[in-house]
Amino acid sequence: MKKIVITFVILIVFSFVCAETEVLRYFENTDYELNVFHIKGKEPGKTLMIIGGIQGDESGGYLSADLYVDTILKKGNLIIVPRA
């Protein structure tokens, strides 16, 4: 059991070391604060961008984009702007 726990911890630490997430904040401390998440994969590859928005009172666009913020990528890059 102890070996399984140690292996699990090593895998989690390794996945965080190899992948990187950078958060850029624009217009900080204003009503228009904008967070941009740049998630870099462990290997180079193509880049995908997700932009979440809102129409009227429908929150599905930005809530859907929020789901991808904690993603760990094997390959490529992901840029997320949840509330554009």
Side-chain angles (χ1 to χ4, degrees):
M1 181 67 175
K2 187 175 180 179
K3 286 183 180 182
I4 294 173
V5 172
I6 291 172
T7 303
F8 184 72
V9 170
I10 289 172
L11 288 173
I12 289 174
V13 170
F14 182 75
S15 68
F16 284 111
V17 169
C18 292
E20 180 184 346
T21 300
E22 178 182 10
V23 181
L24 302 172
R25 289 186 172 84
Y26 298 95
F27 316 116
E28 201 166 356
N29 300 320
T30 70
D31 291 338
Y32 308 103
E33 188 170 302
L34 178 68
N35 294 320
V36 178
F37 299 87
H38 183 194
I39 302 169
K40 299 175 184 174
K42 298 173 187 175
E43 299 175 23
K46 296 185 177 186
T47 299
L48 175 69
M49 183 174 196
I50 298 175
I51 299 175
I54 189 167
Q55 177 182 357
D57 61 349
E58 299 171 356
S59 57
Y62 69 83
L63 291 177
S64 297
D66 279 340
L67 295 175
Y68 293 97
V69 170
D70 295 324
T71 300
I72 297 175
L73 298 176
K74 292 181 182 179
K75 186 175 182 178
N77 298 297
L78 180 60
I79 299 170
I80 305 169
V81 185
R83 289 167 176 81

